[in-house]
Amino acid sequence: KGEYDWHLSMNLVLLRLISFSMDYHYATLEKKNSNSTQDKSAAAKPTPEPTSSSSSSSFYAPKPPSYYKSLCATSHKLEIYSFPNLLSHAFYAPLFLAGPTITFNSYMHHCLPPSSSSQTTTPTVELPDLRHKLVYTAVTVIGVCYLDVLLSLVHPFALLRSGWSSKLSISESCGVTWFMLAGMWLKFATLWRFARCWGMWDGVEPPENMNRTWNNNWSIAGFWKGWHSSFNLWLRREISAP
């Protein structure tokens, strides 16, 4: 449809601004309550879940949700919530266009040393090793090539927009719809994996979207958690948890 409009990315920027505000609010409450009683400090914000001490044996398998939840729930020192860090998180280049979504606390845990960033017990940031990065980069490149081949040989989106889909039989319409959903999954998976791969090489590992294929689900909840798992973690942190 032409050039990419700049305002399309403002929705994700708004999510990052909300994340900064809420994480700063939680950190302020923790700091205030830590001066009075420890019990109130524990009740001010959800307790971070323990992280996994051992990394996955697979080079490509994503980390468990508890790992990212612990990074999201652990606050930093109040001086970390500054305007330059806000801009760095809101306009972080690898994740600016389409995500995946990452909270401010999790982002700063990747950017700062553990000893200088957190005002509580700091979770261990498990950065991927070189072999993991190379394997993930290869998977991303294969996805880009496969998407290019798919769009060159199969044209479900053009077929639907042309209006010819209404003239197809039921079986043909089902086939076009299946290819359209598969193409949408591959398109978003390639986009998010490219952004995540860029972030991994930069030292920031956001949550993995598209943990499974679109048709490998048995419920709507499983489909949503696998389709946009990073946004699901953001919702549970910023919307459900408060």
Side-chain angles (χ1 to χ4, degrees), residues 215-242:
N215 53 356
N216 186 21
N217 294 280
W218 300 98
S219 64
I220 298 179
F223 172 81
W224 166 252
K225 292 179 181 180
W227 181 275
H228 209 329
S229 57
S230 65
F231 185 49
N232 180 64
L233 291 174
W234 185 94
L235 288 174
R236 296 186 62 182
R237 162 66 180 172
E238 311 298 349
I239 303 300
S240 300

PDB file of all heavy atoms in Angstrom, residues 215-242:
ATOM      1  N   ASN A 215      -1.898 -23.155  13.397  1.00  0.00           N
ATOM      2  CA  ASN A 215      -2.857 -24.260  13.449  1.00  0.00           C
ATOM      3  C   ASN A 215      -2.467 -25.326  14.465  1.00  0.00           C
ATOM      4  O   ASN A 215      -3.101 -26.368  14.526  1.00  0.00           O
ATOM      5  CB  ASN A 215      -3.008 -24.901  12.072  1.00  0.00           C
ATOM      6  CG  ASN A 215      -1.673 -25.321  11.469  1.00  0.00           C
ATOM      7  OD1 ASN A 215      -0.619 -25.067  12.053  1.00  0.00           O
ATOM      8  ND2 ASN A 215      -1.717 -25.951  10.309  1.00  0.00           N
ATOM      9  N   ASN A 216      -1.435 -25.070  15.264  1.00  0.00           N
ATOM     10  CA  ASN A 216      -1.009 -26.018  16.295  1.00  0.00           C
ATOM     11  C   ASN A 216      -1.528 -25.549  17.653  1.00  0.00           C
ATOM     12  O   ASN A 216      -0.761 -25.343  18.593  1.00  0.00           O
ATOM     13  CB  ASN A 216       0.518 -26.145  16.307  1.00  0.00           C
ATOM     14  CG  ASN A 216       0.997 -27.216  17.269  1.00  0.00           C
ATOM     15  OD1 ASN A 216       0.243 -28.117  17.631  1.00  0.00           O
ATOM     16  ND2 ASN A 216       2.258 -27.117  17.678  1.00  0.00           N
ATOM     17  N   ASN A 217      -2.839 -25.351  17.747  1.00  0.00           N
ATOM     18  CA  ASN A 217      -3.467 -24.894  18.976  1.00  0.00           C
ATOM     19  C   ASN A 217      -4.805 -25.605  19.145  1.00  0.00           C
ATOM     20  O   ASN A 217      -5.478 -25.927  18.154  1.00  0.00           O
ATOM     21  CB  ASN A 217      -3.694 -23.372  18.952  1.00  0.00           C
ATOM     22  CG  ASN A 217      -2.402 -22.589  18.949  1.00  0.00           C
ATOM     23  OD1 ASN A 217      -1.758 -22.388  19.961  1.00  0.00           O
ATOM     24  ND2 ASN A 217      -2.014 -22.124  17.756  1.00  0.00           N
ATOM     25  N   TRP A 218      -5.174 -25.800  20.404  1.00  0.00           N
ATOM     26  CA  TRP A 218      -6.422 -26.493  20.720  1.00  0.00           C
ATOM     27  C   TRP A 218      -7.452 -25.573  21.351  1.00  0.00           C
ATOM     28  O   TRP A 218      -8.558 -26.004  21.654  1.00  0.00           O
ATOM     29  CB  TRP A 218      -6.158 -27.665  21.661  1.00  0.00           C
ATOM     30  CG  TRP A 218      -5.222 -28.683  21.077  1.00  0.00           C
ATOM     31  CD1 TRP A 218      -3.876 -28.796  21.303  1.00  0.00           C
ATOM     32  CD2 TRP A 218      -5.555 -29.704  20.148  1.00  0.00           C
ATOM     33  NE1 TRP A 218      -3.335 -29.831  20.585  1.00  0.00           N
ATOM     34  CE2 TRP A 218      -4.357 -30.418  19.847  1.00  0.00           C
ATOM     35  CE3 TRP A 218      -6.733 -30.108  19.515  1.00  0.00           C
ATOM     36  CZ2 TRP A 218      -4.323 -31.487  18.967  1.00  0.00           C
ATOM     37  CZ3 TRP A 218      -6.687 -31.177  18.636  1.00  0.00           C
ATOM     38  CH2 TRP A 218      -5.504 -31.856  18.375  1.00  0.00           C
ATOM     39  N   SER A 219      -7.108 -24.312  21.556  1.00  0.00           N
ATOM     40  CA  SER A 219      -8.033 -23.365  22.170  1.00  0.00           C
ATOM     41  C   SER A 219      -7.676 -21.956  21.712  1.00  0.00           C
ATOM     42  O   SER A 219      -6.569 -21.696  21.211  1.00  0.00           O
ATOM     43  CB  SER A 219      -7.984 -23.453  23.698  1.00  0.00           C
ATOM     44  OG  SER A 219      -6.698 -23.081  24.178  1.00  0.00           O
ATOM     45  N   ILE A 220      -8.631 -21.044  21.902  1.00  0.00           N
ATOM     46  CA  ILE A 220      -8.386 -19.646  21.549  1.00  0.00           C
ATOM     47  C   ILE A 220      -7.330 -19.049  22.466  1.00  0.00           C
ATOM     48  O   ILE A 220      -6.487 -18.252  22.033  1.00  0.00           O
ATOM     49  CB  ILE A 220      -9.699 -18.847  21.620  1.00  0.00           C
ATOM     50  CG1 ILE A 220     -10.705 -19.403  20.604  1.00  0.00           C
ATOM     51  CG2 ILE A 220      -9.455 -17.372  21.379  1.00  0.00           C
ATOM     52  CD1 ILE A 220     -12.045 -18.709  20.616  1.00  0.00           C
ATOM     53  N   ALA A 221      -7.365 -19.432  23.758  1.00  0.00           N
ATOM     54  CA  ALA A 221      -6.365 -18.923  24.700  1.00  0.00           C
ATOM     55  C   ALA A 221      -4.958 -19.363  24.305  1.00  0.00           C
ATOM     56  O   ALA A 221      -4.006 -18.576  24.347  1.00  0.00           O
ATOM     57  CB  ALA A 221      -6.694 -19.390  26.116  1.00  0.00           C
ATOM     58  N   GLY A 222      -4.819 -20.628  23.899  1.00  0.00           N
ATOM     59  CA  GLY A 222      -3.517 -21.103  23.455  1.00  0.00           C
ATOM     60  C   GLY A 222      -3.057 -20.417  22.188  1.00  0.00           C
ATOM     61  O   GLY A 222      -1.865 -20.120  22.024  1.00  0.00           O
ATOM     62  N   PHE A 223      -4.011 -20.142  21.285  1.00  0.00           N
ATOM     63  CA  PHE A 223      -3.669 -19.415  20.063  1.00  0.00           C
ATOM     64  C   PHE A 223      -3.161 -18.013  20.382  1.00  0.00           C
ATOM     65  O   PHE A 223      -2.166 -17.555  19.820  1.00  0.00           O
ATOM     66  CB  PHE A 223      -4.897 -19.346  19.160  1.00  0.00           C
ATOM     67  CG  PHE A 223      -4.722 -18.467  17.956  1.00  0.00           C
ATOM     68  CD1 PHE A 223      -4.059 -18.930  16.833  1.00  0.00           C
ATOM     69  CD2 PHE A 223      -5.223 -17.178  17.946  1.00  0.00           C
ATOM     70  CE1 PHE A 223      -3.888 -18.121  15.722  1.00  0.00           C
ATOM     71  CE2 PHE A 223      -5.058 -16.358  16.842  1.00  0.00           C
ATOM     72  CZ  PHE A 223      -4.391 -16.830  15.722  1.00  0.00           C
ATOM     73  N   TRP A 224      -3.829 -17.312  21.300  1.00  0.00           N
ATOM     74  CA  TRP A 224      -3.431 -15.944  21.643  1.00  0.00           C
ATOM     75  C   TRP A 224      -2.071 -15.932  22.329  1.00  0.00           C
ATOM     76  O   TRP A 224      -1.214 -15.093  22.009  1.00  0.00           O
ATOM     77  CB  TRP A 224      -4.481 -15.307  22.530  1.00  0.00           C
ATOM     78  CG  TRP A 224      -4.007 -14.044  23.206  1.00  0.00           C
ATOM     79  CD1 TRP A 224      -3.706 -13.876  24.532  1.00  0.00           C
ATOM     80  CD2 TRP A 224      -3.757 -12.788  22.573  1.00  0.00           C
ATOM     81  NE1 TRP A 224      -3.299 -12.590  24.773  1.00  0.00           N
ATOM     82  CE2 TRP A 224      -3.308 -11.900  23.583  1.00  0.00           C
ATOM     83  CE3 TRP A 224      -3.853 -12.326  21.265  1.00  0.00           C
ATOM     84  CZ2 TRP A 224      -2.974 -10.577  23.318  1.00  0.00           C
ATOM     85  CZ3 TRP A 224      -3.518 -11.007  21.001  1.00  0.00           C
ATOM     86  CH2 TRP A 224      -3.093 -10.158  22.019  1.00  0.00           C
ATOM     87  N   LYS A 225      -1.849 -16.839  23.270  1.00  0.00           N
ATOM     88  CA  LYS A 225      -0.579 -16.866  23.983  1.00  0.00           C
ATOM     89  C   LYS A 225       0.583 -17.198  23.057  1.00  0.00           C
ATOM     90  O   LYS A 225       1.704 -16.737  23.271  1.00  0.00           O
ATOM     91  CB  LYS A 225      -0.652 -17.877  25.126  1.00  0.00           C
ATOM     92  CG  LYS A 225      -1.585 -17.468  26.248  1.00  0.00           C
ATOM     93  CD  LYS A 225      -1.627 -18.521  27.346  1.00  0.00           C
ATOM     94  CE  LYS A 225      -2.585 -18.121  28.462  1.00  0.00           C
ATOM     95  NZ  LYS A 225      -2.645 -19.143  29.539  1.00  0.00           N
ATOM     96  N   GLY A 226       0.325 -18.014  22.040  1.00  0.00           N
ATOM     97  CA  GLY A 226       1.392 -18.350  21.120  1.00  0.00           C
ATOM     98  C   GLY A 226       1.580 -17.314  20.027  1.00  0.00           C
ATOM     99  O   GLY A 226       2.686 -17.109  19.545  1.00  0.00           O
ATOM    100  N   TRP A 227       0.489 -16.632  19.638  1.00  0.00           N
ATOM    101  CA  TRP A 227       0.565 -15.672  18.554  1.00  0.00           C
ATOM    102  C   TRP A 227       1.298 -14.410  18.995  1.00  0.00           C
ATOM    103  O   TRP A 227       2.187 -13.917  18.312  1.00  0.00           O
ATOM    104  CB  TRP A 227      -0.842 -15.327  18.076  1.00  0.00           C
ATOM    105  CG  TRP A 227      -0.879 -14.347  16.934  1.00  0.00           C
ATOM    106  CD1 TRP A 227      -0.852 -12.989  17.011  1.00  0.00           C
ATOM    107  CD2 TRP A 227      -0.952 -14.664  15.538  1.00  0.00           C
ATOM    108  NE1 TRP A 227      -0.914 -12.434  15.764  1.00  0.00           N
ATOM    109  CE2 TRP A 227      -0.975 -13.447  14.826  1.00  0.00           C
ATOM    110  CE3 TRP A 227      -1.005 -15.862  14.817  1.00  0.00           C
ATOM    111  CZ2 TRP A 227      -1.042 -13.389  13.434  1.00  0.00           C
ATOM    112  CZ3 TRP A 227      -1.077 -15.789  13.439  1.00  0.00           C
ATOM    113  CH2 TRP A 227      -1.091 -14.567  12.767  1.00  0.00           C
ATOM    114  N   HIS A 228       0.940 -13.841  20.124  1.00  0.00           N
ATOM    115  CA  HIS A 228       1.538 -12.585  20.581  1.00  0.00           C
ATOM    116  C   HIS A 228       1.851 -12.722  22.072  1.00  0.00           C
ATOM    117  O   HIS A 228       1.290 -12.005  22.917  1.00  0.00           O
ATOM    118  CB  HIS A 228       0.582 -11.420  20.342  1.00  0.00           C
ATOM    119  CG  HIS A 228       1.279 -10.106  20.118  1.00  0.00           C
ATOM    120  ND1 HIS A 228       2.490  -9.808  20.707  1.00  0.00           N
ATOM    121  CD2 HIS A 228       0.953  -9.035  19.374  1.00  0.00           C
ATOM    122  CE1 HIS A 228       2.860  -8.595  20.347  1.00  0.00           C
ATOM    123  NE2 HIS A 228       1.952  -8.097  19.526  1.00  0.00           N
ATOM    124  N   SER A 229       2.764 -13.615  22.396  1.00  0.00           N
ATOM    125  CA  SER A 229       3.051 -13.914  23.803  1.00  0.00           C
ATOM    126  C   SER A 229       3.674 -12.729  24.516  1.00  0.00           C
ATOM    127  O   SER A 229       3.452 -12.538  25.715  1.00  0.00           O
ATOM    128  CB  SER A 229       3.989 -15.129  23.887  1.00  0.00           C
ATOM    129  OG  SER A 229       5.179 -14.901  23.158  1.00  0.00           O
ATOM    130  N   SER A 230       4.465 -11.910  23.823  1.00  0.00           N
ATOM    131  CA  SER A 230       5.080 -10.758  24.486  1.00  0.00           C
ATOM    132  C   SER A 230       4.027  -9.745  24.900  1.00  0.00           C
ATOM    133  O   SER A 230       4.095  -9.177  26.001  1.00  0.00           O
ATOM    134  CB  SER A 230       6.114 -10.098  23.558  1.00  0.00           C
ATOM    135  OG  SER A 230       5.496  -9.549  22.411  1.00  0.00           O
ATOM    136  N   PHE A 231       3.028  -9.508  24.061  1.00  0.00           N
ATOM    137  CA  PHE A 231       1.942  -8.595  24.423  1.00  0.00           C
ATOM    138  C   PHE A 231       1.080  -9.186  25.522  1.00  0.00           C
ATOM    139  O   PHE A 231       0.554  -8.461  26.379  1.00  0.00           O
ATOM    140  CB  PHE A 231       1.100  -8.285  23.190  1.00  0.00           C
ATOM    141  CG  PHE A 231       0.029  -7.249  23.426  1.00  0.00           C
ATOM    142  CD1 PHE A 231       0.329  -6.050  24.049  1.00  0.00           C
ATOM    143  CD2 PHE A 231      -1.273  -7.478  23.017  1.00  0.00           C
ATOM    144  CE1 PHE A 231      -0.654  -5.094  24.269  1.00  0.00           C
ATOM    145  CE2 PHE A 231      -2.255  -6.537  23.235  1.00  0.00           C
ATOM    146  CZ  PHE A 231      -1.945  -5.340  23.856  1.00  0.00           C
ATOM    147  N   ASN A 232       0.931 -10.509  25.528  1.00  0.00           N
ATOM    148  CA  ASN A 232       0.193 -11.164  26.610  1.00  0.00           C
ATOM    149  C   ASN A 232       0.892 -10.973  27.943  1.00  0.00           C
ATOM    150  O   ASN A 232       0.239 -10.705  28.962  1.00  0.00           O
ATOM    151  CB  ASN A 232       0.045 -12.654  26.302  1.00  0.00           C
ATOM    152  CG  ASN A 232      -0.717 -13.399  27.374  1.00  0.00           C
ATOM    153  OD1 ASN A 232      -1.897 -13.153  27.603  1.00  0.00           O
ATOM    154  ND2 ASN A 232      -0.042 -14.325  28.042  1.00  0.00           N
ATOM    155  N   LEU A 233       2.226 -11.065  27.964  1.00  0.00           N
ATOM    156  CA  LEU A 233       2.971 -10.794  29.187  1.00  0.00           C
ATOM    157  C   LEU A 233       2.836  -9.342  29.605  1.00  0.00           C
ATOM    158  O   LEU A 233       2.739  -9.034  30.807  1.00  0.00           O
ATOM    159  CB  LEU A 233       4.445 -11.154  28.986  1.00  0.00           C
ATOM    160  CG  LEU A 233       4.790 -12.636  28.844  1.00  0.00           C
ATOM    161  CD1 LEU A 233       6.266 -12.805  28.501  1.00  0.00           C
ATOM    162  CD2 LEU A 233       4.459 -13.390  30.122  1.00  0.00           C
ATOM    163  N   TRP A 234       2.823  -8.431  28.644  1.00  0.00           N
ATOM    164  CA  TRP A 234       2.650  -7.009  28.952  1.00  0.00           C
ATOM    165  C   TRP A 234       1.285  -6.760  29.579  1.00  0.00           C
ATOM    166  O   TRP A 234       1.164  -6.021  30.560  1.00  0.00           O
ATOM    167  CB  TRP A 234       2.811  -6.188  27.681  1.00  0.00           C
ATOM    168  CG  TRP A 234       2.766  -4.696  27.914  1.00  0.00           C
ATOM    169  CD1 TRP A 234       3.819  -3.863  28.114  1.00  0.00           C
ATOM    170  CD2 TRP A 234       1.590  -3.873  27.970  1.00  0.00           C
ATOM    171  NE1 TRP A 234       3.373  -2.575  28.298  1.00  0.00           N
ATOM    172  CE2 TRP A 234       2.013  -2.551  28.208  1.00  0.00           C
ATOM    173  CE3 TRP A 234       0.225  -4.130  27.844  1.00  0.00           C
ATOM    174  CZ2 TRP A 234       1.126  -1.483  28.320  1.00  0.00           C
ATOM    175  CZ3 TRP A 234      -0.668  -3.075  27.963  1.00  0.00           C
ATOM    176  CH2 TRP A 234      -0.218  -1.775  28.192  1.00  0.00           C
ATOM    177  N   LEU A 235       0.242  -7.378  29.023  1.00  0.00           N
ATOM    178  CA  LEU A 235      -1.104  -7.198  29.566  1.00  0.00           C
ATOM    179  C   LEU A 235      -1.206  -7.728  30.993  1.00  0.00           C
ATOM    180  O   LEU A 235      -1.805  -7.090  31.869  1.00  0.00           O
ATOM    181  CB  LEU A 235      -2.122  -7.902  28.668  1.00  0.00           C
ATOM    182  CG  LEU A 235      -2.399  -7.265  27.308  1.00  0.00           C
ATOM    183  CD1 LEU A 235      -3.319  -8.158  26.491  1.00  0.00           C
ATOM    184  CD2 LEU A 235      -3.017  -5.888  27.474  1.00  0.00           C
ATOM    185  N   ARG A 236      -0.632  -8.885  31.246  1.00  0.00           N
ATOM    186  CA  ARG A 236      -0.691  -9.474  32.586  1.00  0.00           C
ATOM    187  C   ARG A 236       0.111  -8.652  33.581  1.00  0.00           C
ATOM    188  O   ARG A 236      -0.204  -8.636  34.771  1.00  0.00           O
ATOM    189  CB  ARG A 236      -0.188 -10.913  32.543  1.00  0.00           C
ATOM    190  CG  ARG A 236      -1.045 -11.835  31.702  1.00  0.00           C
ATOM    191  CD  ARG A 236      -0.578 -13.267  31.807  1.00  0.00           C
ATOM    192  NE  ARG A 236      -0.690 -13.764  33.163  1.00  0.00           N
ATOM    193  CZ  ARG A 236      -0.308 -14.989  33.549  1.00  0.00           C
ATOM    194  NH1 ARG A 236       0.175 -15.821  32.641  1.00  0.00           N
ATOM    195  NH2 ARG A 236      -0.418 -15.364  34.806  1.00  0.00           N
ATOM    196  N   ARG A 237       1.132  -7.970  33.111  1.00  0.00           N
ATOM    197  CA  ARG A 237       1.958  -7.151  34.001  1.00  0.00           C
ATOM    198  C   ARG A 237       1.327  -5.782  34.265  1.00  0.00           C
ATOM    199  O   ARG A 237       1.199  -5.373  35.409  1.00  0.00           O
ATOM    200  CB  ARG A 237       3.346  -6.982  33.378  1.00  0.00           C
ATOM    201  CG  ARG A 237       4.174  -5.836  33.954  1.00  0.00           C
ATOM    202  CD  ARG A 237       4.552  -6.067  35.395  1.00  0.00           C
ATOM    203  NE  ARG A 237       5.348  -4.961  35.899  1.00  0.00           N
ATOM    204  CZ  ARG A 237       5.690  -4.808  37.178  1.00  0.00           C
ATOM    205  NH1 ARG A 237       5.297  -5.687  38.065  1.00  0.00           N
ATOM    206  NH2 ARG A 237       6.423  -3.786  37.548  1.00  0.00           N
ATOM    207  N   GLU A 238       0.910  -5.090  33.206  1.00  0.00           N
ATOM    208  CA  GLU A 238       0.474  -3.703  33.331  1.00  0.00           C
ATOM    209  C   GLU A 238      -1.028  -3.547  33.506  1.00  0.00           C
ATOM    210  O   GLU A 238      -1.476  -2.532  34.051  1.00  0.00           O
ATOM    211  CB  GLU A 238       0.915  -2.905  32.100  1.00  0.00           C
ATOM    212  CG  GLU A 238       2.365  -3.079  31.713  1.00  0.00           C
ATOM    213  CD  GLU A 238       3.342  -2.621  32.795  1.00  0.00           C
ATOM    214  OE1 GLU A 238       2.901  -1.975  33.756  1.00  0.00           O
ATOM    215  OE2 GLU A 238       4.539  -2.905  32.679  1.00  0.00           O
ATOM    216  N   ILE A 239      -1.826  -4.523  33.033  1.00  0.00           N
ATOM    217  CA  ILE A 239      -3.281  -4.386  33.091  1.00  0.00           C
ATOM    218  C   ILE A 239      -3.888  -5.289  34.155  1.00  0.00           C
ATOM    219  O   ILE A 239      -4.647  -4.848  35.008  1.00  0.00           O
ATOM    220  CB  ILE A 239      -3.916  -4.698  31.728  1.00  0.00           C
ATOM    221  CG1 ILE A 239      -3.321  -3.786  30.643  1.00  0.00           C
ATOM    222  CG2 ILE A 239      -5.426  -4.528  31.783  1.00  0.00           C
ATOM    223  CD1 ILE A 239      -3.520  -2.318  30.884  1.00  0.00           C
ATOM    224  N   SER A 240      -3.527  -6.588  34.136  1.00  0.00           N
ATOM    225  CA  SER A 240      -4.141  -7.531  35.069  1.00  0.00           C
ATOM    226  C   SER A 240      -3.555  -7.434  36.466  1.00  0.00           C
ATOM    227  O   SER A 240      -4.292  -7.467  37.457  1.00  0.00           O
ATOM    228  CB  SER A 240      -3.977  -8.964  34.533  1.00  0.00           C
ATOM    229  OG  SER A 240      -4.575  -9.108  33.288  1.00  0.00           O
ATOM    230  N   ALA A 241      -2.218  -7.296  36.573  1.00  0.00           N
ATOM    231  CA  ALA A 241      -1.575  -7.312  37.876  1.00  0.00           C
ATOM    232  C   ALA A 241      -2.005  -6.165  38.782  1.00  0.00           C
ATOM    233  O   ALA A 241      -2.250  -6.365  39.973  1.00  0.00           O
ATOM    234  CB  ALA A 241      -0.057  -7.303  37.705  1.00  0.00           C
ATOM    235  N   PRO A 242      -2.121  -4.912  38.261  1.00  0.00           N
ATOM    236  CA  PRO A 242      -2.575  -3.835  39.161  1.00  0.00           C
ATOM    237  C   PRO A 242      -3.945  -4.076  39.705  1.00  0.00           C
ATOM    238  O   PRO A 242      -4.227  -3.669  40.820  1.00  0.00           O
ATOM    239  CB  PRO A 242      -2.546  -2.611  38.260  1.00  0.00           C
ATOM    240  CG  PRO A 242      -1.575  -2.934  37.191  1.00  0.00           C
ATOM    241  CD  PRO A 242      -1.742  -4.386  36.942  1.00  0.00           C
TER     242      PRO A 242
END
